[in-house]
Amino acid sequence: MSMIQQIPIVETLRTYRSELFRRDVMAGLTVAVMLIPQGMAYAVLAGMPPVYGLYASVVPLLIYAVLGTSRQLAVGPVAMVSLLVVAGVGEMAEPGSRHFIELVILTAFGVGIFQWAMGIFRLGFLVNFLSHPVLSGFTSAAAMIIGVSQLPALLGLQMERGEGALHVLIEAGKRWAEIDPVTAVIGFGAVALLIGAKRWNRAFPSALLVVVLGVLIAWSAGLGQTGLAIVGDIPAGLPSIQGNLFQADTLIQLFPLIAVISLVSYMESIAVAKAIATQRGYDVNPNQELIALGASNIGGAFFQSIPVTGGFSRSAVNDQAGAKTTIASVITAATILLTLLFLTDLFYHLPRAVLSAIIIVAVAGLFDMDEVRILWKRDRKDLAMLLVTFVVTLGLGIEQGILTGVLLSLVIVIYSSTRPHQTELGRLGESSSYRNIDRYRDAKVDPETLIYRFDSALYFANVSYFHETLKEKMERHGKDLKQIVLDASTIHSIDSTGIHQLEQLMDELQEEGIRLLIAGAIGPVRDKLKQAGVMDTLGEDAFFFDVHEAILSIQALREGESFNRPFDPCQSNLPAV
């Protein structure tokens, strides 16, 4: 790998132009305006003091700008990861406590190591075990959990953390008389303003608007002294460097949470990065993205960052605002750094209900009813996966939900691979085309010949299915059956168990006086069959280039004529297909 591939910003700087800088500055400032209130809100959601959201919006952005391959991805705190953090770390320490803060920073470090290692060893494919329906069910349930978890702060109610969504709703209903009207008016007013501004112009910094209005109202009316919960003091200046991050025992305890956050956050990030890159006509490197996100979390952890990833809404705003390179992220980080140094006092009177409103509106878009409607029409099996993941996440919790989703995805993968598509083929008229007889009713079937196609690798997990389905089709032909043509063109590989199954089949067919012919075997499969002695046992005259050639050979044999092959399909120098 070249230096440019390892450090993508080298190529960016080499071709950088002044007109790009102007656009990147505008986009960087726009995202910073959006990220400052969001970062503080997501830190609160994660059980952390608001300032840690700002810490997470400086060093990680700078590192991603150097190593990332997406030109528009806006890295920082996101709602989903914050919820995972408070759900996982909250079981080990009280949210907001010093020990909790240490564990969250350690989690960010662990996520960075995990993602970085995945990138180095090119393990990005692991996220494929989270299918889209599973992820949709998980995120929809998580969105409900996040939204409900913010109700107490939005209404001014005091409730214990860690209670389930249903419990929070029931308690809020029972204690409606305890709702603080000032807090509720500010909270719901902020929600209404955010929604209205979003519908008017998605790129408008609505979060900053409600923050400014909330601060002005609380300050001018002195609401902080009358019971309204406000953010209070936010430490000014740079975060101190964390040196005690190599805690092996604690990292092992946190490993399940680290793995879940690493996979979920990478999937969210790579999804938006690919979507924008496709629209803009360039490519992102998935494994380099893992390295960039991993390094961002590692570097951020040394400066007290919570776990970060690329966010959907901020990346969309970054793109719409004109970002052309990752220099826009540098501008965003610099703006937030200046905020930390000089502007934190401005947020003293910020109502916490406003931060809750920002979170609720942000996660509302995660609830995906459209996917449910689509799957109801297209694929009930995937819909069942979505609903199971949704119910488990909502009922048992975030970690249990994502674990259930992964297991469901694995079960579907295993089930599908053990029962692949297979069919009997028939001839279309007098042509050389052979098609599925269940789809092509006019396809002709010779009672003496079964043409069987198996659309998968033949390996240990599906050999029993191969044998069972072939036997069923043989029984349909009955005693008239004299030969079987195995269309092997879609068998792209075969293992030792598959070869053993073929040998067993050959013995069974020989006892019944049925001849086995193999057509269309690709090069690697032919090589395996030759090495195993199957080719010698069957004879090279039992192998054909395609199904039609095998049928012509059968016809010639019936008519007592010799059959001249165009070429020998058993030769190793033939093409692989």
Side-chain angles (χ1 to χ4, degrees), residues 319-341:
D319 180 43
Q320 292 169 11
K324 296 299 178 185
T325 71
T326 55
I327 298 300
S329 292
V330 176
I331 304 300
T332 300
T335 305
I336 294 174
L337 181 60
L338 291 174
T339 302
L340 275 169
L341 291 173

Side-chain angles (χ1 to χ4, degrees), residues 1-8 66-67 288 291:
M1 183 180 288
S2 69
M3 183 66 162
I4 289 177
Q5 289 175 308
Q6 289 177 320
I7 308 179
V66 173
L67 298 176
Q288 180 63 30
I291 292 172

Side-chain angles (χ1 to χ4, degrees), residues 3-13 59-70 288-289 291-293 295-296 325-327 329-330:
M3 183 66 162
I4 289 177
Q5 289 175 308
Q6 289 177 320
I7 308 179
I9 201 172
V10 172
E11 175 65 14
T12 298
L13 294 175
V59 173
L61 274 72
L62 294 173
I63 294 175
Y64 182 84
V66 173
L67 298 176
T69 61
S70 171
Q288 180 63 30
E289 284 297 292
I291 292 172
L293 290 172
S296 297
T325 71
T326 55
I327 298 300
S329 292
V330 176

Side-chain angles (χ1 to χ4, degrees), residues 221-234:
L223 297 179
Q225 285 75 43
T226 61
L228 177 69
I230 58 174
V231 167
D233 288 315
I234 296 179

Side-chain angles (χ1 to χ4, degrees), residues 309-322:
T309 192
F312 282 103
S313 58
R314 287 194 305 272
S315 298
V317 168
N318 196 31
D319 180 43
Q320 292 169 11

Side-chain angles (χ1 to χ4, degrees), residues 25-195:
V25 168
M26 289 303 299
L29 292 173
T30 302
V31 172
V33 165
M34 183 180 186
L35 181 53
I36 290 169
Q38 271 194 355
M40 291 192 294
Y42 295 154
V44 171
L45 176 60
M48 301 282 281
V51 71
Y52 286 88
L54 300 180
Y55 293 161
S57 305
V58 180
V59 173
L61 274 72
L62 294 173
I63 294 175
Y64 182 84
V66 173
L67 298 176
T69 61
S70 171
R71 301 168 193 170
Q72 288 83 22
L73 190 70
V75 170
V78 298
M80 181 66 68
V81 172
S82 294
L83 184 64
L84 288 169
V85 166
V86 74
V89 181
E91 295 180 358
M92 302 173 64
E94 178 65 25
S97 66
R98 185 63 207 166
H99 184 46
F100 180 88
I101 292 172
E102 291 173 353
L103 290 176
V104 171
I105 294 170
L106 191 61
T107 299
F109 180 72
V111 168
I113 294 294
F114 192 97
Q115 290 180 328
W116 180 83
M118 285 177 65
I120 291 295
F121 294 106
R122 308 181 72 81
L123 298 178
F125 69 90
L126 289 176
V127 298
N128 295 331
F129 290 112
L130 282 172
S131 68
H132 184 73
V134 161
L135 194 65
S136 179
F138 170 71
T139 54
S140 295
M144 290 188 65
I145 293 171
I146 293 171
V148 171
S149 73
Q150 297 307 302
L151 275 181
L154 200 72
L155 301 173
L157 293 173
Q158 298 297 321
M159 290 188 189
E160 292 292 327
R161 282 183 178 268
E163 299 290 353
L166 184 60
H167 175 81
V168 171
L169 286 174
I170 293 173
E171 280 297 301
K174 288 179 179 177
R175 296 166 56 185
W176 64 270
E178 301 175 27
I179 293 173
D180 179 49
V182 174
T183 302
V185 168
I186 290 176
F188 283 105
V191 169
L193 190 56
L194 286 165
I195 294 173

Side-chain angles (χ1 to χ4, degrees), residues 21 32 266 287 379 410 441 528 540 562:
F21 182 69
Y266 172 64
N287 288 303
D379 195 327
L410 286 172
R441 300 298 183 183
K528 284 283 188 71
E540 293 190 357
S562 60

Side-chain angles (χ1 to χ4, degrees), residues 351-500:
R352 286 186 174 266
V354 170
L355 294 179
S356 294
I358 292 171
I359 292 169
I360 289 171
V361 174
V363 302
L366 295 176
F367 194 83
D368 196 357
M369 273 304 296
D370 288 339
E371 184 70 9
V372 173
R373 286 192 288 267
I374 290 169
L375 292 180
W376 174 261
K377 296 176 182 177
R378 295 181 183 175
D379 195 327
R380 301 289 175 85
K381 178 185 66 178
D382 280 356
L383 177 61
M385 290 173 60
L386 184 154
L387 294 176
V388 169
T389 307
F390 177 85
V391 170
V392 172
T393 303
L394 203 58
L396 300 181
I398 297 291
E399 291 183 347
Q400 291 82 355
I402 198 67
L403 178 61
T404 300
V406 171
L407 291 176
L408 274 176
S409 297
L410 286 172
V411 167
I412 293 298
V413 168
I414 294 170
Y415 179 82
S416 299
S417 68
T418 58
R419 302 180 69 84
H421 181 263
Q422 44 73 41
T423 188
E424 180 177 355
L425 304 180
R427 187 175 182 179
L428 299 181
E430 297 302 318
S431 71
S432 59
S433 296
Y434 297 81
R435 294 292 185 269
N436 185 341
I437 61 172
D438 295 324
R439 292 180 179 273
Y440 292 81
R441 300 298 183 183
D442 295 333
K444 293 188 295 185
V445 175
D446 179 357
E448 295 184 356
T449 305
L450 167 60
I451 308 172
Y452 177 74
R453 192 184 73 205
F454 192 72
D455 297 334
S456 170
L458 186 58
Y459 72 117
F460 67 92
N462 62 24
V463 291
S464 295
Y465 185 67
F466 170 84
H467 189 260
E468 291 168 9
T469 54
L470 181 57
K471 281 291 187 181
E472 288 174 3
K473 289 172 173 53
M474 288 172 62
E475 288 174 5
R476 293 180 195 169
H477 281 254
K479 297 182 179 180
D480 293 332
L481 186 62
K482 290 186 170 55
Q483 53 264 326
I484 294 174
V485 177
L486 173 61
D487 181 359
S489 60
T490 51
I491 300 176
H492 55 80
S493 66
I494 185 169
D495 71 355
S496 59
T497 309
I499 290 173
H500 178 73

